[in-house]
Amino acid sequence: MTATPSKIPVSVLIPAKNEEANLPACLESVALADEVFVVDSQSSDRSVEIAESYGAKVVQFYFNGSWPKKKNWGLDNLPFHNEWVLIVDCDERITPELWEEIAAAIQNPDYNGYYVNRRVFFLGQWIRYGGRYPDWNLRLLKHEKGRYENLKTEDVPNTGDNEVHEHVILKGQVGYLKNDMLHIDFRDIYQWLERHNRYSNWEARLYLNFLSGKDDLETINDESDRFKRLLTIIRNPVQRKRFLRKVWVWLPFKPALRFMITYIFQLGFLDGRPGYIYARLMSQYEYQIGIKLYELQRFGGQLNTSPTPITPPQAVPHVPNSN
């Protein structure tokens, strides 16, 4: 099937759950796409109604508590009309300049996927510093060529049914687009804190996997040659980030280090008060990860369990005084 005239032959995949605040702007920004799928998780707000009003195809996803999660399920099961798929979260926007670049990029037969850089906005401001930019994500790909990595964290409770920090493993050559996508969440700080509370569960399990040697650094890069693998880590921002995270988990005083790195060494102070608040929150986030990592280690690798059954004390029978 060919794309509608004036439409770009790309299928958009949007994972959603209770996103009525973000969906309108997101859907408006992907109007140039030939087709749009919203993969919903039984939203209780107006998400489905809003998506359908913009002409998107709404598909329900029912998470079984294991693998795959929502984006991989979508890549496996949605009846895409197009070879190319663009994965967009509800709080992200695709600019006209980026769409123009996408239209040209998908004509290049040398590439099976492209990294897209994100501009993250926080408290109404672009967080230009503090390590938030550049923020490369592999979002544009030939859907038969790529899937999200499985980091063996899907059994961690309270993390949601959608891939968040997992990366796409792609067969073939990957390029980089010049124009940025925008990450603008219209919800409040309460939602940010709630979301990062869930993320810290995921991060704690990932830290535990690193510390116990259960991780697989080659989930993104399948190079068997160590020298080539090292070159990939140096050149590839995602691989480099994964390698640095493996080193990071062994360091002491991580909450304080996270603040110093974010606010001072990565120049977060140049983002003004939002930059300071963001650095403080990221330090708090690191502290949450550390607490949950301790919980995982202390309680046998499972969150929120007791190491031994607690036996209530036996009641002492009352003996009446015979005097």
Side-chain angles (χ1 to χ4, degrees):
M1 180 174 179
T2 58
T4 305
S6 77
K7 295 284 188 176
I8 297 173
V10 169
S11 299
V12 173
L13 190 165
I14 303 175
K17 183 177 182 179
N18 295 332
E19 288 280 2
E20 64 180 7
N22 284 316
L23 266 174
C26 177
L27 290 166
E28 287 176 10
S29 79
V30 298
L32 287 174
D34 176 50
E35 66 176 351
V36 177
F37 285 96
V38 172
V39 183
D40 184 60
S41 297
Q42 301 82 60
S43 291
S44 58
D45 65 1
R46 297 177 56 249
S47 292
V48 172
E49 176 186 343
I50 291 170
E52 291 177 341
S53 72
Y54 279 86
K57 304 172 184 178
V58 179
V59 179
Q60 290 297 327
F61 170 66
Y62 297 89
F63 185 46
N64 62 8
S66 182
W67 193 260
K69 287 195 172 185
K70 190 183 297 184
K71 292 174 185 174
N72 254 13
W73 181 89
L75 290 171
D76 284 339
N77 293 281
L78 294 178
F80 298 118
H81 289 163
N82 304 287
E83 181 181 32
W84 287 89
V85 169
L86 177 66
I87 300 169
V88 183
D89 289 337
C90 292
D91 53 9
E92 295 171 341
R93 322 282 179 252
I94 308 300
T95 65
E97 295 80 11
L98 181 53
W99 271 122
E100 184 177 351
E101 187 178 8
I102 288 171
I106 60 176
Q107 303 302 319
N108 189 335
D110 296 333
Y111 295 98
N112 288 339
Y114 291 91
Y115 283 100
V116 183
N117 200 4
R118 297 196 310 172
R119 293 191 184 191
V120 175
F121 287 75
F122 178 74
L123 293 177
Q125 178 177 310
W126 174 28
I127 302 299
R128 175 68 177 83
Y129 301 96
R132 289 306 305 164
Y133 189 84
D135 182 23
W136 293 103
N137 290 264
L138 207 166
R139 297 296 191 85
L140 179 65
L141 65 149
K142 295 179 179 179
H143 67 86
E144 293 182 351
K145 300 295 184 179
R147 291 295 182 271
Y148 281 85
E149 60 187 345
N150 185 352
L151 296 177
K152 310 301 180 184
T153 58
E154 66 271 14
D155 61 328
V156 182
N158 304 316
T159 57
D161 64 358
N162 187 32
E163 299 89 344
V164 177
H165 299 293
E166 292 90 344
H167 298 284
V168 172
I169 308 168
L170 190 78
K171 297 178 181 178
Q173 192 168 349
V174 184
Y176 291 81
L177 299 182
K178 296 179 180 179
N179 290 282
D180 299 339
M181 70 162 55
L182 308 180
H183 181 285
I184 306 174
D185 194 341
F186 289 157
R187 297 171 299 178
D188 55 23
I189 290 295
Y190 172 89
Q191 297 292 339
W192 192 97
L193 292 170
E194 187 276 334
R195 189 164 66 249
H196 281 76
N197 186 31
R198 290 188 286 107
Y199 293 171
S200 61
N201 279 12
W202 185 93
E203 294 273 13
R205 173 56 66 83
L206 191 63
Y207 279 22
L208 182 66
N209 289 348
F210 284 156
L211 292 171
S212 59
K214 295 180 180 178
D215 68 293
D216 181 7
L217 185 61
E218 288 69 57
T219 51
I220 301 171
N221 168 37
D222 59 1
E223 294 282 3
S224 58
D225 184 272
R226 290 185 177 182
F227 179 71
K228 291 182 179 179
R229 191 182 310 158
L230 178 61
L231 286 178
T232 303
I233 290 172
I234 294 172
R235 295 171 179 172
N236 186 303
V238 176
Q239 279 280 42
R240 186 165 60 250
K241 191 174 183 180
R242 174 68 49 75
F243 175 77
L244 292 174
R245 179 178 279 170
K246 288 193 68 176
V247 175
W248 173 259
V249 299
W250 292 96
L251 299 179
F253 312 116
K254 284 190 282 293
L257 283 173
R258 174 67 76 99
F259 177 80
M260 292 176 61
I261 292 171
T262 301
Y263 192 65
I264 299 174
F265 295 105
Q266 293 178 325
L267 307 179
F269 61 87
L270 294 178
D271 287 318
R273 189 169 185 181
Y276 173 75
I277 294 172
Y278 186 82
R280 286 292 301 269
L281 287 175
M282 292 310 295
S283 175
Q284 174 183 313
Y285 176 58
E286 193 65 54
Y287 184 64
Q288 286 180 306
I289 297 170
I291 294 171
K292 292 177 179 180
L293 175 61
Y294 172 79
E295 185 181 33
L296 284 166
Q297 293 171 320
R298 175 71 176 83
F299 297 102
Q302 295 294 325
L303 288 167
N304 305 318
T305 60
S306 175
T308 55
I310 299 175
T311 304
Q314 297 295 321
V316 178
H318 175 69
V319 179
N321 191 342
S322 58
N323 293 330

